[in-house]
Amino acid sequence: MSSLKAICHGLPLHPLPANRGRRKGVPHAPVRTPQLTAQEEKLALRNALRYFPPEIQRILAAEFAEELRLYGHIYMYRFYPDIEMRAYPIEEYPCKTKSAAAIMLMIMNNLDPSVAQFPQELVTYGGNGQVFSNWAQFWLVMHYLSEMTEEQTLVMYSGHPLGLFPSHQSAPRLIITNGMVIPNYSTRDEYEKMFALGVTMYGQMTAGSYCYIGPQGIVHGTVLTVLNAGRRYLKVEDLSGKVFVTSGLGGMSGAQAKAAVIAGCVGIIAEVDEAALLKRYKQGWLMEISNNLDHCIARLRDARKNKIALSLGYHGNVVDLWERLVYELDTTGELLVDLGSDQTSCHNPFSGGYYPVQLSFEEAKQLLSTSPGKFRTLVQESLRRQVAAINRLADKGMFFWDYGNAFLLEAQRAGADVEKRGANKTEFRYPSYVQHIMGDIFSLGFGPFRWVCTSGDPQDLATTDSIAMSVLEDSIRRGVSASVRQQYHDNIRWIREAGRHSLVVGSQARILYSDQRGRVSIAVAINRAISEGKIKGPVVLSRDHHDVSGTDSPYRETSNVYDGSAFCADMAVQNFVGDAFRGATWVALHNGGGVGWGEVINGGFGLVLDGSAKAEERAKMMLSWDVSNGVARRCWSGNDYAYETICQAMKENVTLKVTLPHKVADESILEQALQH
């Protein structure tokens, strides 16, 4: 078994580790079908061999060629580290700076088998969200981080460590870009080729930026979404006895079962992959599992009648579940579902993100590798069937929303009935959860703020929980608007529930939704607690890129921006750059994430709090920008919540000056002008 010290020495070449190939007993990424020409295959091999000296290239070339042929990508399985992959306490990392050690911790957490979806393929979540493109990159990055000083910055090109470059103490220690492909070539087919060639990578949102904290991150967002869906659609605060039907128990979607129970409803979640289903069940996130639809319907009825909070995993295809609910409606007249959504990895529908109902899971995986065209056809037929069933139930009173996974976008492309007459390009028959549920929350400046206690001590996490609750409660006492107060109360409830529900998977991490004032205040309070010894080690701040400023995504994060700029990516790029020079420890900019390659640009950060005065100053400056950037953009696009939020921020900070929009006073002005 290797040690942390050993993995910091660089690529293990003398002697070469044994090639054990793909390990049995762990889930693996679907086989990719990049359709490379003979010349492109040779180029992929040449690119992979660049990491290794000439004397061992002949040995590696043959096995790399076999990986490319069998799996559609060169993962370099031989170099899978012989170490327990997890977030070790920060003091154990052999580094010259705490910042570098914190980054190492976050990388290893992303690759922890209890956290990662396909750990041997370096996929954290979403079916194709990579930490690195291959294992050689992992070894080199760990070596660079162990050598890094506060006068250097590590530069990452789509998983490839370009190297350590001279820098200065106030600069980020790490700059990451993933998938920055020229727009005209940012297509799925081009991506499959470029990934196979080893020249670009899909970092998802927080996989390739090393900021994933396990499914807890999306549990919280799902809890808030379901609670607010109940308020908006069902006009209730109490969701007991209400039924939420959805699909996906893999990476981020694995959070849905736990979220349903915390929200107090009956959650029925379909999952085709038994390994993913059992993983959530063994973790205690899923209360019951069944592969029998008769049993599922009986349990649903009982829990609904007796108002029992339940998470039931159906081992099967969600299309079968939706169609069974239609059958129950047609035969009994009973609508058994109140709320519905979908969290399959539909941003990646033809490479294992969505499985067609016509085949078993194993049959579908086989077809994917042998006949990708036929697989695509069946997926699109399955999407049409799923939408037809959802439409039937929605017509009778169920409320369905798109969860930002490109489900409706792909359904539209498949020819399903999801059109909304007279709508713009970002609107469908059913709203995005951003448009109806979370968009106004973003406009208030609220978003997924996270922290990781690098000591690995659960007591440190408990201390930070207490600090966060105290900060939010104090903010309420000092006075906030009614809409902000509602969000603070939801998050105080969340923190209390989080401690009871054993949400930690991997690193000692927590998430909550907070606005600018809350994020800055929590960061400052945590930093001071570190300085006073109340917290034993540094704390890493980050967020999901799915936030008020982090992401330009016209079918999700910016789907409620109606001034025509939903397809513009200025905000995400400015966020990345602005965080970099305002004190972030590392920053990341990605093409893709959430709804797919070529559909999104998103930016994220990591910030290490070490108890110093400089850390407090950086937190105040960087977190303020990280929120106000997006609020100002939403204000300019005409959102009233954002307008009020940014005006209040300008009152509190005299150095903040934002261009405020004027509304057209009379629509007839436009009509008359166009007539001439």
Side-chain angles (χ1 to χ4, degrees), residues 622-644:
M622 199 222 77
L623 292 173
S624 295
W625 162 252
D626 196 63
V627 177
S628 61
N629 170 36
V631 176
R633 187 266 179 95
R634 284 170 164 77
C635 164
W636 188 246
S637 71
N639 185 282
D640 291 337
Y641 279 119
Y643 187 94
E644 293 168 10

mmCIF file of all heavy atoms in Angstrom, residues 622-644:
data_model
loop_
_atom_site.group_PDB
_atom_site.id
_atom_site.type_symbol
_atom_site.label_atom_id
_atom_site.label_comp_id
_atom_site.label_asym_id
_atom_site.label_seq_id
_atom_site.Cartn_x
_atom_site.Cartn_y
_atom_site.Cartn_z
ATOM 1 N N MET A 622 -13.389 38.578 -1.888
ATOM 2 C CA MET A 622 -13.724 37.627 -2.940
ATOM 3 C C MET A 622 -15.184 37.186 -2.880
ATOM 4 O O MET A 622 -15.873 37.116 -3.901
ATOM 5 C CB MET A 622 -12.808 36.405 -2.849
ATOM 6 C CG MET A 622 -12.763 35.591 -4.130
ATOM 7 S SD MET A 622 -12.805 33.831 -3.804
ATOM 8 C CE MET A 622 -14.528 33.607 -3.424
ATOM 9 N N LEU A 623 -15.679 36.886 -1.684
ATOM 10 C CA LEU A 623 -17.054 36.415 -1.568
ATOM 11 C C LEU A 623 -18.058 37.502 -1.940
ATOM 12 O O LEU A 623 -19.126 37.203 -2.496
ATOM 13 C CB LEU A 623 -17.322 35.902 -0.153
ATOM 14 C CG LEU A 623 -16.570 34.621 0.239
ATOM 15 C CD1 LEU A 623 -16.784 34.306 1.707
ATOM 16 C CD2 LEU A 623 -17.002 33.450 -0.629
ATOM 17 N N SER A 624 -17.717 38.747 -1.658
ATOM 18 C CA SER A 624 -18.618 39.840 -2.048
ATOM 19 C C SER A 624 -18.769 39.897 -3.562
ATOM 20 O O SER A 624 -19.885 39.990 -4.094
ATOM 21 C CB SER A 624 -18.084 41.177 -1.516
ATOM 22 O OG SER A 624 -18.097 41.185 -0.109
ATOM 23 N N TRP A 625 -17.640 39.826 -4.264
ATOM 24 C CA TRP A 625 -17.688 39.830 -5.729
ATOM 25 C C TRP A 625 -18.389 38.588 -6.249
ATOM 26 O O TRP A 625 -19.191 38.648 -7.190
ATOM 27 C CB TRP A 625 -16.285 39.908 -6.316
ATOM 28 C CG TRP A 625 -16.228 39.496 -7.760
ATOM 29 C CD1 TRP A 625 -15.697 38.360 -8.280
ATOM 30 C CD2 TRP A 625 -16.764 40.229 -8.880
ATOM 31 N NE1 TRP A 625 -15.860 38.320 -9.650
ATOM 32 C CE2 TRP A 625 -16.512 39.461 -10.034
ATOM 33 C CE3 TRP A 625 -17.432 41.440 -9.008
ATOM 34 C CZ2 TRP A 625 -16.894 39.873 -11.304
ATOM 35 C CZ3 TRP A 625 -17.823 41.859 -10.281
ATOM 36 C CH2 TRP A 625 -17.542 41.082 -11.396
ATOM 37 N N ASP A 626 -18.103 37.435 -5.660
ATOM 38 C CA ASP A 626 -18.615 36.159 -6.145
ATOM 39 C C ASP A 626 -20.141 36.133 -6.149
ATOM 40 O O ASP A 626 -20.746 35.414 -6.938
ATOM 41 C CB ASP A 626 -18.073 35.023 -5.262
ATOM 42 C CG ASP A 626 -18.227 33.664 -5.912
ATOM 43 O OD1 ASP A 626 -17.625 33.441 -6.974
ATOM 44 O OD2 ASP A 626 -18.963 32.827 -5.362
ATOM 45 N N VAL A 627 -20.764 36.926 -5.296
ATOM 46 C CA VAL A 627 -22.221 37.008 -5.262
ATOM 47 C C VAL A 627 -22.730 38.220 -6.048
ATOM 48 O O VAL A 627 -23.626 38.105 -6.892
ATOM 49 C CB VAL A 627 -22.732 37.083 -3.807
ATOM 50 C CG1 VAL A 627 -24.250 37.252 -3.776
ATOM 51 C CG2 VAL A 627 -22.333 35.821 -3.037
ATOM 52 N N SER A 628 -22.162 39.396 -5.792
ATOM 53 C CA SER A 628 -22.724 40.633 -6.360
ATOM 54 C C SER A 628 -22.602 40.681 -7.878
ATOM 55 O O SER A 628 -23.418 41.333 -8.547
ATOM 56 C CB SER A 628 -22.058 41.862 -5.736
ATOM 57 O OG SER A 628 -20.667 41.888 -5.986
ATOM 58 N N ASN A 629 -21.617 39.990 -8.442
ATOM 59 C CA ASN A 629 -21.490 39.914 -9.900
ATOM 60 C C ASN A 629 -22.790 39.409 -10.523
ATOM 61 O O ASN A 629 -23.352 40.023 -11.431
ATOM 62 C CB ASN A 629 -20.318 38.980 -10.245
ATOM 63 C CG ASN A 629 -20.230 38.635 -11.724
ATOM 64 O OD1 ASN A 629 -20.514 39.453 -12.583
ATOM 65 N ND2 ASN A 629 -19.826 37.410 -12.008
ATOM 66 N N GLY A 630 -23.297 38.282 -10.020
ATOM 67 C CA GLY A 630 -24.508 37.697 -10.589
ATOM 68 C C GLY A 630 -25.766 38.460 -10.249
ATOM 69 O O GLY A 630 -26.695 38.536 -11.059
ATOM 70 N N VAL A 631 -25.824 39.027 -9.045
ATOM 71 C CA VAL A 631 -27.001 39.812 -8.667
ATOM 72 C C VAL A 631 -27.107 41.044 -9.569
ATOM 73 O O VAL A 631 -28.195 41.390 -10.054
ATOM 74 C CB VAL A 631 -26.939 40.220 -7.184
ATOM 75 C CG1 VAL A 631 -28.120 41.123 -6.832
ATOM 76 C CG2 VAL A 631 -26.960 38.988 -6.284
ATOM 77 N N ALA A 632 -25.965 41.696 -9.823
ATOM 78 C CA ALA A 632 -25.968 42.880 -10.691
ATOM 79 C C ALA A 632 -26.407 42.523 -12.104
ATOM 80 O O ALA A 632 -27.156 43.275 -12.742
ATOM 81 C CB ALA A 632 -24.574 43.508 -10.704
ATOM 82 N N ARG A 633 -25.946 41.368 -12.603
ATOM 83 C CA ARG A 633 -26.344 40.948 -13.953
ATOM 84 C C ARG A 633 -27.856 40.699 -14.012
ATOM 85 O O ARG A 633 -28.537 41.090 -14.973
ATOM 86 C CB ARG A 633 -25.578 39.674 -14.332
ATOM 87 C CG ARG A 633 -25.767 39.207 -15.789
ATOM 88 C CD ARG A 633 -26.881 38.180 -15.955
ATOM 89 N NE ARG A 633 -27.055 37.778 -17.340
ATOM 90 C CZ ARG A 633 -26.497 36.716 -17.888
ATOM 91 N NH1 ARG A 633 -25.705 35.949 -17.160
ATOM 92 N NH2 ARG A 633 -26.723 36.414 -19.152
ATOM 93 N N ARG A 634 -28.401 40.031 -12.985
ATOM 94 C CA ARG A 634 -29.831 39.752 -12.969
ATOM 95 C C ARG A 634 -30.639 41.031 -12.787
ATOM 96 O O ARG A 634 -31.745 41.157 -13.320
ATOM 97 C CB ARG A 634 -30.145 38.735 -11.869
ATOM 98 C CG ARG A 634 -29.746 37.321 -12.264
ATOM 99 C CD ARG A 634 -29.817 36.348 -11.109
ATOM 100 N NE ARG A 634 -29.793 34.979 -11.582
ATOM 101 C CZ ARG A 634 -28.700 34.348 -11.993
ATOM 102 N NH1 ARG A 634 -27.537 34.971 -11.966
ATOM 103 N NH2 ARG A 634 -28.754 33.107 -12.436
ATOM 104 N N CYS A 635 -30.075 41.972 -12.029
ATOM 105 C CA CYS A 635 -30.716 43.278 -11.890
ATOM 106 C C CYS A 635 -30.835 43.942 -13.261
ATOM 107 O O CYS A 635 -31.904 44.441 -13.633
ATOM 108 C CB CYS A 635 -29.892 44.144 -10.938
ATOM 109 S SG CYS A 635 -30.268 45.904 -11.013
ATOM 110 N N TRP A 636 -29.754 43.927 -14.019
ATOM 111 C CA TRP A 636 -29.734 44.574 -15.332
ATOM 112 C C TRP A 636 -30.691 43.895 -16.316
ATOM 113 O O TRP A 636 -31.204 44.518 -17.241
ATOM 114 C CB TRP A 636 -28.315 44.589 -15.881
ATOM 115 C CG TRP A 636 -28.178 45.404 -17.129
ATOM 116 C CD1 TRP A 636 -27.878 44.948 -18.364
ATOM 117 C CD2 TRP A 636 -28.355 46.817 -17.263
ATOM 118 N NE1 TRP A 636 -27.859 45.983 -19.264
ATOM 119 C CE2 TRP A 636 -28.156 47.149 -18.616
ATOM 120 C CE3 TRP A 636 -28.677 47.842 -16.367
ATOM 121 C CZ2 TRP A 636 -28.248 48.450 -19.090
ATOM 122 C CZ3 TRP A 636 -28.780 49.139 -16.844
ATOM 123 C CH2 TRP A 636 -28.557 49.432 -18.189
ATOM 124 N N SER A 637 -30.939 42.607 -16.095
ATOM 125 C CA SER A 637 -31.856 41.895 -16.996
ATOM 126 C C SER A 637 -33.317 42.090 -16.590
ATOM 127 O O SER A 637 -34.214 41.554 -17.234
ATOM 128 C CB SER A 637 -31.524 40.400 -17.023
ATOM 129 O OG SER A 637 -31.870 39.780 -15.811
ATOM 130 N N GLY A 638 -33.553 42.827 -15.481
ATOM 131 C CA GLY A 638 -34.916 43.212 -15.145
ATOM 132 C C GLY A 638 -35.546 42.486 -13.981
ATOM 133 O O GLY A 638 -36.755 42.616 -13.758
ATOM 134 N N ASN A 639 -34.770 41.725 -13.181
ATOM 135 C CA ASN A 639 -35.344 41.007 -12.056
ATOM 136 C C ASN A 639 -35.514 41.940 -10.850
ATOM 137 O O ASN A 639 -34.551 42.560 -10.393
ATOM 138 C CB ASN A 639 -34.435 39.826 -11.687
ATOM 139 C CG ASN A 639 -35.036 38.964 -10.601
ATOM 140 O OD1 ASN A 639 -35.004 39.312 -9.424
ATOM 141 N ND2 ASN A 639 -35.573 37.819 -10.994
ATOM 142 N N ASP A 640 -36.725 42.019 -10.341
ATOM 143 C CA ASP A 640 -37.017 42.950 -9.239
ATOM 144 C C ASP A 640 -36.294 42.572 -7.952
ATOM 145 O O ASP A 640 -35.821 43.450 -7.216
ATOM 146 C CB ASP A 640 -38.528 43.010 -8.984
ATOM 147 C CG ASP A 640 -39.270 43.693 -10.122
ATOM 148 O OD1 ASP A 640 -38.635 44.476 -10.864
ATOM 149 O OD2 ASP A 640 -40.484 43.440 -10.283
ATOM 150 N N TYR A 641 -36.234 41.271 -7.642
ATOM 151 C CA TYR A 641 -35.520 40.842 -6.438
ATOM 152 C C TYR A 641 -34.059 41.266 -6.505
ATOM 153 O O TYR A 641 -33.472 41.747 -5.536
ATOM 154 C CB TYR A 641 -35.594 39.319 -6.282
ATOM 155 C CG TYR A 641 -36.878 38.816 -5.682
ATOM 156 C CD1 TYR A 641 -37.706 37.958 -6.403
ATOM 157 C CD2 TYR A 641 -37.255 39.172 -4.393
ATOM 158 C CE1 TYR A 641 -38.885 37.475 -5.856
ATOM 159 C CE2 TYR A 641 -38.436 38.690 -3.837
ATOM 160 C CZ TYR A 641 -39.248 37.848 -4.580
ATOM 161 O OH TYR A 641 -40.425 37.378 -4.025
ATOM 162 N N ALA A 642 -33.448 41.059 -7.682
ATOM 163 C CA ALA A 642 -32.040 41.420 -7.845
ATOM 164 C C ALA A 642 -31.849 42.928 -7.736
ATOM 165 O O ALA A 642 -30.851 43.397 -7.173
ATOM 166 C CB ALA A 642 -31.521 40.911 -9.191
ATOM 167 N N TYR A 643 -32.789 43.696 -8.276
ATOM 168 C CA TYR A 643 -32.718 45.158 -8.201
ATOM 169 C C TYR A 643 -32.687 45.611 -6.738
ATOM 170 O O TYR A 643 -31.847 46.408 -6.323
ATOM 171 C CB TYR A 643 -33.912 45.768 -8.930
ATOM 172 C CG TYR A 643 -33.869 47.275 -9.058
ATOM 173 C CD1 TYR A 643 -33.341 47.873 -10.203
ATOM 174 C CD2 TYR A 643 -34.362 48.098 -8.044
ATOM 175 C CE1 TYR A 643 -33.301 49.261 -10.330
ATOM 176 C CE2 TYR A 643 -34.325 49.477 -8.159
ATOM 177 C CZ TYR A 643 -33.795 50.058 -9.304
ATOM 178 O OH TYR A 643 -33.751 51.423 -9.416
ATOM 179 N N GLU A 644 -33.622 45.081 -5.949
ATOM 180 C CA GLU A 644 -33.687 45.454 -4.533
ATOM 181 C C GLU A 644 -32.421 45.011 -3.789
ATOM 182 O O GLU A 644 -31.903 45.737 -2.933
ATOM 183 C CB GLU A 644 -34.925 44.811 -3.893
ATOM 184 C CG GLU A 644 -36.239 45.355 -4.429
ATOM 185 C CD GLU A 644 -37.429 44.516 -4.002
ATOM 186 O OE1 GLU A 644 -37.245 43.629 -3.136
ATOM 187 O OE2 GLU A 644 -38.531 44.739 -4.533
#
